[in-house]
Amino acid sequence: GAGVSQTPSNKVTEKGKYVELRCDPISGHTALYWYRQSLGQGPEFLIYFQGTGAADDSGLPNDRFFAVRPEGSVSTLKIQRTERGDSAVYLCASSAAGANVLTFGAGSRLTVL
Amino acid sequence: QKEVEQDPGPLSVPEGAIVSLNCTYSNSAFQYFMWYRQYSRKGPELLMYTYSSGNKEDGRFTAQVDKSSKYISLFIRDSQPSDSATYLCAILLPGNTGKLIFGQGTTLQVKP
């Protein structure tokens, strides 16, 4: 597609529930990133995929967070047993091989009640 | 100390003013510096990208890096109401991974 697409744009859930957030990167981009942006803060790195594999997941806050990219294109960020502190905008970005320029999606705004 | 520090503002200026946005960083090994603009409820979009020290100009925007003082700046000339947004400085981590460290972001409002 023309840009990075993220769904849902908004998600409201209850504490303890499971959530999936989807990212569809720019066609042909091999690198995919997930960032989290809390209110009034800059985005913080969560995980980076090169192709199908997670090249760096050092930013995932704990084992409730997990992400997959099974075919090297679409990625899903999964959050188990959500907590109120997980409320944030989850941003996905992609880049072409060898490029240092990331293109971001509009984000998925997660609210945990 | 955070790796990248940015004054969150908010900053309010009249239309036509020159705007100066600034960040400091802690690690002298950083080489790639970026400025992103983020409109409300949108993702960040890349404005400027500079390598090492010096200036880079693109229309009304100038990015400046001073590696001796670990200081990066974005100047906006003839500011317009459409420039009202949050501006995020970002540093590309070494290692060719594309990982970025962002500042907190400065919210700018340009009043007509």
Side-chain angles (χ1 to χ4, degrees):
Chain A
V4 178
S5 176
Q6 292 189 246
T7 55
S9 54
N10 280 285
K11 176 72 177 179
V12 180
T13 191
E14 293 179 344
K15 181 175 178 300
K17 298 289 188 183
Y18 170 79
V19 165
E20 287 191 354
L21 307 175
R22 175 189 166 107
C23 173
D24 200 342
I26 292 173
S27 179
H29 279 191
T30 56
L32 184 146
Y33 305 80
W34 284 98
Y35 283 77
R36 178 168 71 174
Q37 188 173 24
S38 300
L39 189 64
Q41 302 296 316
E44 292 181 314
F45 171 80
L46 294 177
I47 186 170
Y48 152 56
F49 288 89
Q50 187 61 252
T52 60
D56 185 340
D57 65 357
S58 61
L60 294 177
N62 51 59
D63 61 6
R64 295 187 298 105
F65 288 75
F66 189 71
V68 295
R69 195 186 186 200
E71 297 177 357
S73 178
V74 170
S75 176
T76 305
L77 178 65
K78 308 180 181 197
I79 311 173
Q80 298 178 318
R81 304 184 304 281
T82 51
E83 300 178 356
R84 292 193 180 89
D86 299 336
S87 297
V89 176
Y90 289 82
L91 294 163
C92 178
S94 68
S95 69
N100 291 319
V101 176
L102 275 60
T103 301
F104 282 85
S108 292
R109 182 176 299 271
L110 175 65
T111 303
V112 182
L113 301 177
Chain B
Q1 181 189 6
K2 285 187 179 179
E3 289 182 286
V4 182
E5 303 252 19
Q6 184 176 9
D7 185 341
L11 185 60
S12 182
V13 301
E15 183 175 355
I18 296 174
V19 176
S20 172
L21 304 165
N22 308 292
C23 289
T24 58
Y25 63 95
S26 59
N27 191 331
S28 57
F30 295 150
Q31 298 273 34
Y32 290 88
F33 307 93
M34 299 172 176
W35 284 95
Y36 280 81
R37 178 175 61 194
Q38 187 174 27
Y39 291 113
S40 181
R41 304 235 165 208
K42 301 289 186 184
E45 58 174 330
L46 183 66
L47 265 181
M48 306 280 290
Y49 178 175
T50 56
Y51 172 73
S52 195
S53 281
N55 291 0
K56 186 173 184 178
E57 190 173 320
D58 184 1
R60 296 184 295 109
F61 298 86
T62 300
Q64 190 174 80
V65 177
D66 182 347
K67 292 200 76 182
S68 63
S69 56
K70 301 194 190 75
Y71 201 82
I72 56 179
S73 303
L74 178 70
F75 299 97
I76 308 174
R77 291 185 299 281
D78 187 24
S79 56
Q80 303 294 308
S82 59
D83 295 329
S84 299
T86 296
Y87 290 80
L88 297 151
C89 62
I91 292 173
L92 183 69
L93 288 178
N96 201 32
T97 62
K99 283 174 63 176
L100 297 170
I101 300 176
F102 283 90
Q104 187 175 352
T106 300
T107 300
L108 171 67
Q109 184 181 25
V110 181
K111 295 185 175 180

